[in-house]
Amino acid sequence: MHVARERQHNPLGLSRRSLLGGAAATAGAVTLAGTAAAPASAAASTRTVDVAIVGGGLAGLTAARDLVAGGKTVAVLEARDRVGGRVVNLPLANGGVTEGGGEFIGPTQDRIKALADSLGVATFTTYNTGKNLLYKDGTRTPYATDGVLGSVPPIDAAGLANAAIVQASLDDMAKQIPLDAPWTAPKAAEWDKQTFESWLNANAVVPSAKFLLDVACTSIFSAQPRELSLLFVLFYIAAAGNESNVGTLERLTDTANGAQESRFVGGSQQVPIKLAATLGSRVVLSAPVRSIVRSGSGYVVTADGITVKARKVVVAVPPPLAARITYDPLLPAARDQLSQRLPMGSIGKAIAVYDSPFWRADGLNGQVVSDSGVVRSTFDNSPPDASYGALMGFIEADKMREYDAAGIDEVKAAVLKDYANYFGDKAKSPTSFVLQRWDNEGFSRGGPVAYAPPGVLTEYGAALREPAGGIHWAGTETSTHWNGFMDGAVRSGERVAKEVLAAL
């Protein structure tokens, strides 16, 4: 499903994203012991600092690191009993861990890589040896990813040709998007008044091509094409790069040389855990922020068990959650209207654990694209030493909403049925099973990113990063590169720290 060289033409690589969120909601959720070593527990207390930071994910922790390096005092208030936000390790019964949230990084994701390197968190290559699987119309078709078509599933020739045209068109339009202000693009009004689905219906005219684009959409955004503004989709593609490399759909979706190329040794949450350890008691857990009130020349930030007086405030949580905080004075109307209009995608991750990665013996790499079932995209989530096998599947958009209220046994049965269709009867009997449903996580309420429906960016986008008095905004949704990914979160923390340092 994924090409080995970024320069190869790929009408549609189908893969998965690197930023989801929430707490460790497994069948029996636990808190990672490593998280609590450095941060303090919230107690009834008052602190006075230069900057109060709302949110202990990668964005908030990165901002805190840079502000402390700039000589400022900070307090990071995290609602959960762990750091990491939309990045979390799930403990397994066999003593291992797997990622319940963001896990992948790839080329041009420079800032998350630099952060991990500075903390001594190593990476390893995502398992990508062997054939992918296409499961379509009840038929299971293995296919190689190193041929002329690269990672493209083996659909009919007409569909391949149509998909190639659609991908080229999307990349060309994305080149016209100013990353810091997509609402100012020459055709912004035209592109923002239509859904991605309406554009696909007019351009992906071969049914098999439309299938590929639909799966790509749900895999990237955990939302249906009908929910997304075309302008937002084009911005997201444009953002899949860095200052020296333009974004492309291929880089966004691929494994080899794409956004899913590598994983972190020990799980991705090692990055925020180790970053929080460098900040020590500046990080306060179990402290959901309830209000931010202007007081004289500063602010009073009230959280459960603690009050922080600060000259400036950084809010580093997704816009829909930031909107649930009480502000006095009220936020500017444009900022509040923006927050009301950016919903979270609907996403779950289901991981089945086996004694070994048995699919590898069959020449398969564990990656599937499917047109049916609850899980329609999978990865081999085994550890680098393959001491056990792990199949990770994404439950996306409409399918996740369908199972939000289901019991874990019902979800497990549906997932294992899919895994058996893809990988055979051995997949029916895992040694353990863990499930993370971000829709049901109180301090995420979905993932991997807050997306823009039609009309939002052109009308309210300018309020996305605009400070509201002394309140500044961070989080992956505010990033101009790798928006929605761990890299975007780190970039936003670095950007907001510079912004605040200049304002102090």
Side-chain angles (χ1 to χ4, degrees), residues 116-140:
D117 288 347
S118 73
L119 296 167
V121 182
T123 60
F124 67 101
T125 303
T126 303
Y127 190 80
N128 198 36
T129 301
K131 294 183 177 181
N132 287 18
L133 282 175
L134 171 65
Y135 189 83
K136 190 171 186 297
D137 300 324
T139 299
R140 177 179 176 275

Side-chain angles (χ1 to χ4, degrees), residues 34-263:
T35 308
S41 296
S45 62
T46 300
R47 296 189 190 185
T48 299
V49 296
D50 293 318
V51 185
I53 299 172
V54 181
L58 284 169
L61 294 172
T62 299
R65 175 202 64 181
D66 290 0
L67 287 165
V68 169
K72 304 305 177 184
T73 56
V74 305
V76 180
L77 303 176
E78 168 54 47
R80 299 175 175 89
D81 59 0
R82 62 167 184 84
V83 294
R86 285 171 274 179
V87 178
V88 63
N89 286 353
L90 305 182
L92 300 175
N94 63 10
V97 296
T98 192
E99 296 92 344
E103 65 178 283
F104 300 111
I105 69 167
T108 75
Q109 296 188 6
D110 311 313
R111 302 317 303 154
I112 180 64
K113 184 62 166 61
L115 174 59
D117 288 347
S118 73
L119 296 167
V121 182
T123 60
F124 67 101
T125 303
T126 303
Y127 190 80
N128 198 36
T129 301
K131 294 183 177 181
N132 287 18
L133 282 175
L134 171 65
Y135 189 83
K136 190 171 186 297
D137 300 324
T139 299
R140 177 179 176 275
T141 305
Y143 63 98
T145 63
D146 56 359
V148 176
L149 296 177
S151 61
V152 184
I155 58 172
D156 57 277
L160 289 173
N162 188 200
I165 293 171
V166 169
Q167 176 175 308
S169 296
L170 290 170
D171 284 346
D172 286 344
M173 290 189 291
K175 292 175 184 176
Q176 303 175 46
I177 303 294
L179 290 175
D180 59 345
W183 45 89
T184 66
K187 295 186 178 180
E190 174 187 339
W191 291 339
D192 202 32
K193 71 181 180 182
Q194 60 184 304
T195 64
F196 187 40
E197 181 173 53
S198 64
W199 187 87
L200 286 177
N201 286 341
N203 291 274
V205 294
V206 179
S208 56
K210 180 64 160 52
F211 154 70
L212 290 184
L213 272 298
D214 284 346
V215 175
C217 178
T218 55
S219 295
I220 294 167
F221 300 103
S222 299
Q224 303 295 146
R226 67 175 184 272
E227 299 177 287
L228 301 163
S229 158
L230 174 61
L231 179 63
F232 178 73
V233 171
L234 296 175
F235 160 71
Y236 214 78
I237 294 170
N242 60 13
E243 291 78 2
S244 304
N245 298 273
V246 298
T248 65
L249 181 59
E250 185 175 28
R251 189 183 300 114
L252 187 65
T253 58
D254 272 0
T255 298
N257 283 315
Q260 285 68 234
E261 183 175 77
S262 300
R263 297 169 58 200

Side-chain angles (χ1 to χ4, degrees), residues 1-2 14-15 126-129 131-134 143 255 364-369 378-380 423:
M1 181 161 79
H2 309 291
L14 298 173
S15 184
T126 303
Y127 190 80
N128 198 36
T129 301
K131 294 183 177 181
N132 287 18
L133 282 175
L134 171 65
Y143 63 98
T255 298
L364 301 175
N365 63 17
Q367 297 175 40
V368 172
V369 58
T378 69
F379 277 90
D380 181 331
F423 301 106

Side-chain angles (χ1 to χ4, degrees), residues 284-373:
V284 184
L285 302 179
S286 301
V289 170
R290 306 301 181 182
S291 65
I292 301 174
V293 177
R294 186 70 183 254
S295 177
S297 60
Y299 291 85
V300 176
V301 180
T302 303
D304 290 2
I306 185 169
T307 298
V308 177
K309 298 178 180 179
R311 297 164 63 192
K312 302 289 182 181
V313 179
V314 170
V315 177
V317 298
L321 298 183
R324 300 180 185 186
I325 298 170
T326 298
Y327 299 87
D328 184 10
L330 293 173
L331 293 178
R335 171 68 202 193
D336 193 68
Q337 292 286 333
L338 174 71
S339 299
Q340 292 181 48
R341 287 166 166 78
L342 294 176
M344 302 298 287
S346 296
I347 177 79
K349 292 181 77 173
I351 299 96
V353 179
Y354 305 89
D355 288 333
S356 67
F358 60 85
W359 50 91
R360 296 183 184 182
D362 296 329
L364 301 175
N365 63 17
Q367 297 175 40
V368 172
V369 58
S370 175
D371 69 346
S372 61

